């Protein structure tokens, strides 16, 4: 849509080359084009146990672009625009040694950069944790939040950048000690990064948990954690998502596990 959603173009395939397209992320570019990236299983049809990351500008001629030939199987992708009219993409990579840490790749409007690590956590896991990263942006300020369980220690971590993601500051631990991840983030007008995640709160190995918020200021100060709502930590509780309404007020949506399950919305004032 080019008119705020009043009218829409005909439907189009993300890829004309592959039917194995999933976990699509979209990013409008400053010049009006729409950039797509996705996890692609086309190599599996040739017998290779490899999920790849592909991209294209929707509707543009030419083939799909390979961004990374070996990535984690089913972790979500996250885009933000950059000040040069391009975009920054975060995703969970994968090595032959099964290290599945977060990676960044940059699109300058024409080509993709070689991927590089967001952080060298060193999480070795022979399976997909289904726990992707989230980026947030305001001008040249970018924040990143992600989940890792490297060294058998579950953590939610964050970093911020003041130069459009070219470099990032120190890694900050966000969680309370028993996180499940499923993170999200938005950035306030003053550059404060607001992060949400799911944390186990029960004393046993049950499914009791809560959705928490915390902020990270430009000078590296973490706020006190803010419990938004109780939540099951089961797979059915999904991934809470936030949008910024203005000022320090957010709209948060989440799934309440049950029979039937419900989608809940909360208007939240960030502490």
């Amino acid at each position: 849509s080019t008119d705020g959603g009043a009218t829409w173009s005909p439907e189009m395939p993300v890829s004309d080359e592959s039917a194995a397209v999933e976990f699509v992320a979209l990013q409008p570019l400053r010049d009006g084009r729409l950039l797509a990236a996705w996890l692609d299983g086309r190599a599996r049809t040739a017998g290779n146990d490899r999920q790849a990351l592909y991209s294209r500008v929707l509707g543009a001629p030419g083939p799909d672009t390979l961004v990374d030939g070996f990535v984690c199987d089913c972790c979500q992708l996250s885009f933000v625009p950059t000040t040069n009219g391009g975009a920054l993409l975060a995703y969970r990579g994968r090595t032959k040694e099964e290290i599945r840490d977060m990676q960044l790749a940059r699109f300058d409007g024409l080509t993709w950069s070689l991927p590089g690590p967001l952080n060298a956590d060193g999480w070795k896991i022979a399976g997909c944790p289904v726990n992707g990263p989230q980026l947030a942006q305001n001008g040249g300020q970018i924040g990143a939040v992600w989940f890792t369980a490297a060294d058998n220690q579950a953590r939610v971590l964050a970093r911020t950048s003041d130069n459009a993601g070219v470099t990032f500051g120190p890694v900050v631990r966000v969680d309370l000690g028993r996180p499940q991840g499923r993170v999200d983030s938005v950035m306030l007008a003053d550059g404060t990064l607001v992060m949400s995640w799911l944390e186990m709160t029960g004393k046993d190995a049950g499914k009791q948990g809560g959705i928490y918020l915390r902020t990270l200021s430009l000078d590296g100060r973490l706020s006190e954690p803010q419990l938004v709502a109780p939540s099951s930590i089961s797979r059915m509780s999904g991934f809470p998502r936030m949008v910024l309404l203005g000022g320090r007020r957010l709209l948060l949506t989440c799934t309440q596990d049950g029979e039937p399950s419900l989608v809940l919305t909360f208007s939240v004032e960030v502490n």
Side-chain angles (χ1 to χ4, degrees):
S1 175
T2 59
D3 53 14
T7 60
W8 293 84
S9 71
E11 64 186 43
M12 67 182 81
V14 172
S15 171
D16 291 319
E17 303 173 9
S18 176
V21 172
E22 53 187 347
F23 293 90
V24 179
L26 301 175
Q27 179 58 54
L29 301 176
R30 190 166 61 194
D31 60 10
R33 294 179 299 161
L34 186 61
L35 180 65
W38 66 91
L39 302 185
D40 193 299
R42 68 183 72 182
R44 294 181 186 277
T45 61
N48 297 320
D49 182 26
R50 287 182 177 241
Q51 191 87 314
L53 175 64
Y54 277 84
S55 174
R56 70 174 300 110
V57 174
L58 294 187
D64 300 337
T65 299
L66 178 65
V67 180
D68 192 327
F70 196 22
V71 299
C72 202
D73 303 77
C74 45
C75 282
Q76 303 88 342
L77 316 176
S78 182
F79 262 130
V80 289
T82 52
T83 50
N84 67 349
L88 187 68
L89 178 68
Y91 63 96
R92 189 178 294 279
R94 183 182 177 188
T95 70
K96 293 179 181 178
E97 296 75 31
E98 297 292 16
I99 302 299
R100 304 198 186 207
D101 289 345
M102 298 307 176
Q103 302 288 314
L104 295 171
R106 184 180 298 272
F107 181 72
D108 65 6
L110 295 174
T111 60
W112 283 92
S113 69
L114 291 175
L118 172 59
N119 194 56
D121 299 321
W123 188 12
K124 186 173 184 177
I125 174 174
C128 183
V130 195
N131 234 316
Q134 287 293 321
L135 299 177
Q137 172 266 349
N138 183 57
Q141 304 286 342
I142 292 178
V145 59
W146 71 97
F147 175 82
T148 182
D151 303 318
N152 294 317
Q153 185 180 18
R155 285 159 288 165
V156 171
L157 304 176
R159 301 184 80 177
T160 59
S161 169
D162 60 6
N163 56 12
V166 176
T167 60
F168 280 81
V171 176
V172 177
R173 184 169 179 175
V174 178
D175 64 90
L176 305 179
R178 294 197 294 171
Q180 305 300 301
R182 308 189 210 177
V183 301
D184 199 12
S185 62
V186 297
M187 186 166 279
L188 306 182
D190 64 0
T192 297
L193 180 65
V194 184
M195 304 159 289
S196 70
W197 76 97
L198 203 58
E199 181 102 15
M200 185 186 297
T201 58
K203 294 182 180 180
D204 54 25
K207 296 183 178 181
Q208 183 180 356
I211 302 169
Y212 284 83
L213 294 183
R214 208 166 192 178
T215 65
L216 179 61
S217 65
L218 286 174
D219 58 6
R221 289 180 292 110
L222 267 178
S223 70
E224 291 297 317
Q226 180 178 351
L227 177 62
V228 176
S231 174
S232 163
I233 60 171
S234 72
R235 290 276 187 181
M236 292 298 294
S237 62
F239 296 79
R241 287 292 174 255
M242 301 184 292
V243 293
L244 182 63
L245 296 178
R248 299 180 71 85
R249 183 161 292 279
L250 310 173
L251 182 68
L252 184 143
T253 67
C254 62
T255 303
Q256 184 182 69
D257 188 13
E259 293 292 341
S261 61
L262 300 172
V263 175
L264 307 179
T265 62
F266 299 90
S267 178
V268 182
E269 188 75 23
V270 178
N271 291 343

